[in-house]
Amino acid sequence: ILMLKKLAFLHYNNPDLNLALVFYTISLKNTLIKQFEAFYREYDRYGEPDMSKVNIIHAWGGSTKGFYSELCDKTDFQRKTYSEAVELSKKKIDPFEFVCKELNQHLKNINYIGLYDYVFVDEAQDFGINFFHLCLNSLRNSVEGVLNTKKSGFLIYAYDELQSLKEEVMIPTKLEIFGKEEVCKDINLKTSYRTTIEVLTTAHALGLGVYR
């Protein structure tokens, strides 16, 4: 919700920016778009956002446009399906991580200059390092490939290790993602907007086995 609000605020004040919000669970798409449009109307009651400048898209993309598939299409790279990725990765690496790594190498070889001014990533605990590098490479002025610190774009990601779809969760470090820790600013949210602190603490105590 906080990222959708920031996305709406940015788009209203800077309508020429190319913005992307990337998410893991494809079933969230319609909900996220409706929420974004509602937040945008808080700034422009009678107007509509320019959705040609705002991409709220699934990370991979299947029958509809996705973050990965769009970058493939715009750089003339043959996108991989899930089954193809599973076969090629030989189960040694997550299939999505495999295709992201492959596309990163392609973008580096062609000196891709980037597409987005801002990339927002929701539920970032479900993604790996190659996806984060793909996000960086999708930012404008990324002429030197992964970890180029001269980019004008921004990557904003939110995560909670306790809410992952995967069994093992390890968020890549700032050093692994950006190459320099000081280029990334942390904002720790101390308020839960989803439930009361009493319920949240009890849930953690039970879920983490604090009193087991």
Side-chain angles (χ1 to χ4, degrees):
I1 287 176
L2 292 174
M3 286 199 296
L4 284 170
K5 283 181 175 287
K6 186 170 182 65
L7 191 70
F9 178 80
L10 272 173
H11 181 56
Y12 175 72
N13 286 285
N14 305 276
D16 292 329
L17 292 179
N18 286 327
L19 309 174
L21 173 66
V22 188
F23 51 93
Y24 189 89
T25 307
I26 195 167
S27 59
L28 290 175
K29 182 170 184 176
N30 290 335
T31 299
L32 292 173
I33 291 176
K34 289 179 180 179
Q35 284 183 319
F36 167 76
E37 292 173 341
F39 292 145
Y40 181 82
R41 283 192 288 271
E42 293 180 5
Y43 301 106
D44 187 0
R45 181 176 297 181
Y46 302 107
E48 295 291 336
D50 181 358
M51 298 309 289
S52 68
K53 290 291 187 178
V54 181
N55 280 321
I56 299 178
I57 47 180
H58 180 241
W60 191 310
S63 57
T64 59
K65 181 176 69 173
F67 184 74
Y68 162 77
S69 61
E70 181 182 42
L71 287 174
C72 287
D73 293 344
K74 288 187 178 297
T75 59
D76 296 321
F77 187 72
Q78 182 62 46
R79 69 170 81 167
K80 302 294 190 301
T81 64
Y82 178 78
S83 58
E84 289 172 336
V86 170
E87 182 178 351
L88 290 170
S89 65
K90 303 184 186 301
K91 298 183 179 180
K92 294 181 179 180
I93 184 176
D94 177 82
F96 187 54
E97 274 290 278
F98 174 82
V99 297
C100 287
K101 182 177 182 179
E102 186 182 54
L103 181 54
N104 275 325
Q105 188 60 47
H106 169 68
L107 297 180
K108 187 176 182 179
N109 291 338
I110 65 171
N111 287 327
Y112 182 56
I113 63 173
L115 176 62
Y116 296 108
D117 296 291
Y118 282 79
V119 172
F120 294 79
V121 179
D122 186 31
E123 304 291 354
Q125 70 272 7
D126 295 320
F127 296 106
I129 186 63
N130 292 314
F131 169 76
F132 283 105
H133 285 172
L134 186 61
C135 290
L136 289 178
N137 276 328
S138 74
L139 296 175
R140 288 190 172 181
N141 294 340
S142 181
V143 295
E144 297 178 12
V146 169
L147 304 184
N148 169 34
T149 58
K150 298 179 181 179
K151 292 184 292 295
S152 63
F154 294 90
L155 169 62
I156 300 175
Y157 59 100
Y159 66 90
D160 182 351
E161 297 100 325
L162 299 178
Q163 297 186 48
S164 176
L165 297 175
K166 300 178 180 179
E167 292 184 4
E168 295 184 5
V169 181
M170 184 174 291
I171 299 294
T173 66
K174 292 184 290 184
L175 183 62
E176 289 175 314
I177 296 174
F178 297 99
K180 294 182 179 180
E181 290 193 12
E182 59 269 22
V183 302
C184 178
K185 179 181 179 181
D186 286 331
I187 301 175
N188 294 315
L189 301 181
K190 298 180 179 179
T191 302
S192 172
Y193 297 90
R194 216 174 253 179
T195 186
T196 65
I197 188 65
E198 292 83 4
V199 172
L200 188 63
T201 303
T202 303
H204 283 175
L206 294 172
L208 297 174
V210 174
Y211 298 109
R212 187 173 300 155

